[in-house]
Amino acid sequence: MARLAPRSKNQRVAPRLPQGLIDELDRRHAGMARHMARAVVTLVRWDASTGVPPQREAIVRACAAGLDLFLATAREARPATQEELRRVAQLGILQARSSQSVEPILAAYRIAARVAWEEILRAWRGHPEATPEAIMLIANYVFAALDQVAAEVTKTYLHAREQHLQRGTRAHARLFHALISDNFDSELELQRQALALNTPIAAAGYVAVVGKLVMGNRDGERGGHALAEVAATLELPRGVLLHATDPSTLAVLWPADSPAEVEGARQFVARLQEQVERRAGQLGAHVRAGIGGYHPGLHGISRSYLEAQQAFETGRKLRPDSVVHGHDEVIPQLVLTQNPRLAERFVAHSLGRLQDPKLRNREQLMETLEAYLAKGSVKDAATALGLHRHTVLYRLDKLKELLGGDLDVPATRLRLQLALDLQKLL
């Protein structure tokens, strides 16, 4: 697109158009404007994605303004000023500010310029001054003006769209934060805000999900935004709300009307993980998410969101390799860690001598105990640890001696597993 610059003293003056042509175009001015407008109305395809089409009278005024600009610059052999260009581009600028696509607007200017060019050739047909050089000169005038107008419209359109998107993003963020913080008085008013943003809200309630993109052993710095982009490609039920609460964290509100909908949120995380593996699995990327419980109504969202955060943080310490951590699964650990002294006593009583840092091969024994409790059998534990089963059996005998109990008793296994979990959280 051409850009206008102030004329310097050394700038060469543009050659003038023949005065006879300028006078002829003056006489045909009104008819040319109508022909240009008729072509725009007939040929430009406006649809729902481009906003409300401009009125015919406004199109005629814009075409007339374009001809005025052409004649004014032609008479004085000068480039158009920024103010003159803006007046001609005003119709497109106003339309761009209310539209989702600038292409129909630019198409309108192209069609108008083509009609004007055909009318100019018709007006000059047979004129003695209509030499090939003069025709090329006029063509440069017409299409340079079109280029400049289109640049002005496009620049203003992009600026207006950016402002619109920023306002929409800020409004969506305010709505989302009002929901997860329970910072609203009236559900009706919240519903009105959501309708203004074309964002339907499920009044029955939501299950909250908090997720991060993990790269190797670290949270991705821009993982929240990356997960939001991936989630936007999935087929999601009506009413799902997504928002990157910070660059590394994606928060999702999953529509729910009963506790059973937690499973739907789990499936969503599983699909998200599949997409991440497909796109960046070779980079060691995976999803880690915490899911809260269901609490009815919009005022229950903040509680579910807090639970999702707790599930995420607790699950990350307990099962760092797992994708999904549900709040209901970590309630025992959360309850006990609310009283750290009591939790410490429980761990000390359950693990006893195994906590002594001076104990020989302590780390290997702890690793074997975790694997055995998690897998449930010597064979599976040996496979998970990459050891011979006789080595695992030897270590289990040592553990029984240290812990003073039968590791196959269900109550003992439960107590030891809980103690190991609490040890990671304290």
Side-chain angles (χ1 to χ4, degrees):
M1 296 292 182
R3 289 186 176 274
L4 294 180
R7 183 190 297 178
S8 67
K9 292 182 179 179
N10 297 327
Q11 184 176 349
R12 189 165 59 183
V13 177
R16 294 180 180 275
L17 295 185
Q19 186 61 44
L21 173 61
I22 295 174
D23 293 340
E24 182 63 25
L25 295 179
D26 256 336
R27 286 191 294 272
R28 296 175 177 237
H29 183 287
M32 287 177 65
R34 285 195 300 272
H35 291 164
M36 292 160 68
R38 186 182 303 118
V40 169
V41 171
T42 305
L43 299 178
V44 176
R45 301 178 68 87
W46 304 90
D47 55 44
S49 68
T50 57
V52 179
Q55 297 294 317
R56 186 187 185 96
E57 294 77 12
I59 296 174
V60 172
R61 286 196 300 272
C63 293
L67 288 172
D68 289 339
L69 174 61
F70 173 77
L71 291 171
T73 55
R75 287 190 189 98
E76 301 170 25
R78 62 170 177 82
T81 66
Q82 197 67 34
E83 181 57 34
E84 287 174 324
L85 272 177
R86 190 165 181 82
R87 266 201 310 272
V88 175
Q90 192 61 33
L91 173 70
I93 290 171
L94 293 174
Q95 197 66 20
R97 285 174 177 161
S98 63
S99 299
Q100 296 182 12
S101 172
V102 74
E103 182 53 36
I105 301 160
L106 298 180
Y109 282 101
R110 288 196 296 269
I111 290 170
R114 188 182 69 199
V115 173
W117 174 236
E118 291 172 352
E119 290 287 329
I120 289 170
L121 290 179
R122 189 175 296 112
W124 212 9
R125 187 175 295 136
H127 196 282
E129 294 179 289
T131 63
E133 293 78 9
I135 292 175
M136 286 296 298
L137 174 63
I138 298 169
N140 285 337
Y141 263 88
V142 171
F143 293 106
L146 170 65
D147 197 31
Q148 292 165 338
V149 171
E152 182 71 23
V153 172
T154 304
K155 179 183 71 176
T156 306
Y157 167 80
L158 292 175
H159 178 67
R161 288 297 298 163
E162 182 179 0
Q163 287 185 322
H164 173 73
L165 291 173
Q166 288 177 347
R167 286 194 298 271
T169 301
R170 288 194 296 266
H172 183 272
R174 286 195 297 270
L175 174 67
F176 197 94
H177 283 288
L179 287 168
I180 63 176
S181 63
D182 199 12
N183 186 25
F184 61 92
D185 297 322
S186 166
E187 290 194 8
L188 180 60
E189 180 58 33
L190 203 67
Q191 292 281 8
R192 287 175 178 166
Q193 294 177 28
L195 285 174
L197 294 170
N198 195 26
T199 305
I201 292 180
Y206 286 86
V207 168
V209 180
V210 172
K212 290 180 182 285
L213 183 65
V214 182
M215 308 294 293
N217 295 320
R218 299 177 56 187
D219 295 341
E221 293 182 359
R222 303 288 297 175
H225 297 297
L227 286 180
E229 292 178 6
V230 175
T233 67
L234 301 177
E235 187 175 344
L236 302 176
R238 178 179 172 83
V240 172
L241 301 177
L242 306 169
H243 181 61
T245 53
D246 63 61
S248 67
T249 308
L250 174 67
V252 180
L253 298 182
W254 189 265
D257 55 14
S258 73
E261 295 298 334
V262 172
E263 182 57 31
R266 280 183 171 276
Q267 292 175 5
F268 160 74
V269 175
R271 290 162 56 205
L272 199 61
Q273 170 66 13
E274 289 175 3
Q275 289 298 317
V276 167
E277 286 182 346
R278 187 175 302 168
R279 298 180 184 211
Q282 67 276 13
L283 300 176
H286 70 276
V287 177
R288 180 183 291 137
I291 301 179
Y294 168 71
H295 305 283
L298 299 184
H299 286 288
I301 294 174
S302 60
R303 184 176 173 187
S304 182
Y305 180 69
L306 176 61
E307 291 177 351
Q309 290 177 308
Q310 291 175 334
F312 180 91
E313 292 300 329
T314 305
R316 176 170 62 177
K317 296 174 183 177
L318 295 180
R319 313 282 182 267
D321 295 330
S322 296
V323 172
V324 184
H325 308 284
H327 184 262
D328 291 347
E329 300 162 6
V330 296
I331 286 176
Q333 291 87 345
L334 288 171
V335 170
L336 284 173
T337 52
Q338 287 176 3
N339 190 333
R341 287 188 178 182
L342 193 62
E344 287 173 2
R345 282 177 54 192
F346 178 82
V347 172
H349 173 73
S350 300
L351 299 182
R353 292 167 57 192
L354 198 54
Q355 283 194 296
D356 185 354
K358 296 179 182 179
L359 178 66
R360 185 181 176 185
N361 299 326
R362 176 177 176 272
E363 295 300 326
Q364 294 176 345
L365 291 172
M366 291 284 286
E367 184 182 47
T368 301
L369 178 60
E370 284 199 62
Y372 181 65
L373 294 175
K375 301 300 181 182
S377 73
V378 174
K379 179 182 177 181
D380 291 341
T383 301
L385 294 170
L387 299 173
H388 193 280
R389 64 186 303 273
H390 288 161
T391 304
V392 174
L393 284 170
Y394 171 79
R395 291 182 184 178
L396 289 176
D397 287 339
K398 184 65 175 177
L399 286 165
K400 290 176 184 178
E401 178 186 336
L402 291 169
L403 298 173
D406 188 349
L407 300 183
D408 292 327
V409 175
T412 302
R413 296 171 67 92
L414 178 62
R415 177 171 54 82
L416 290 172
Q417 183 64 67
L418 187 56
L420 290 172
D421 287 347
L422 289 174
Q423 189 178 48
K424 297 174 183 177
L425 298 176
L426 293 175

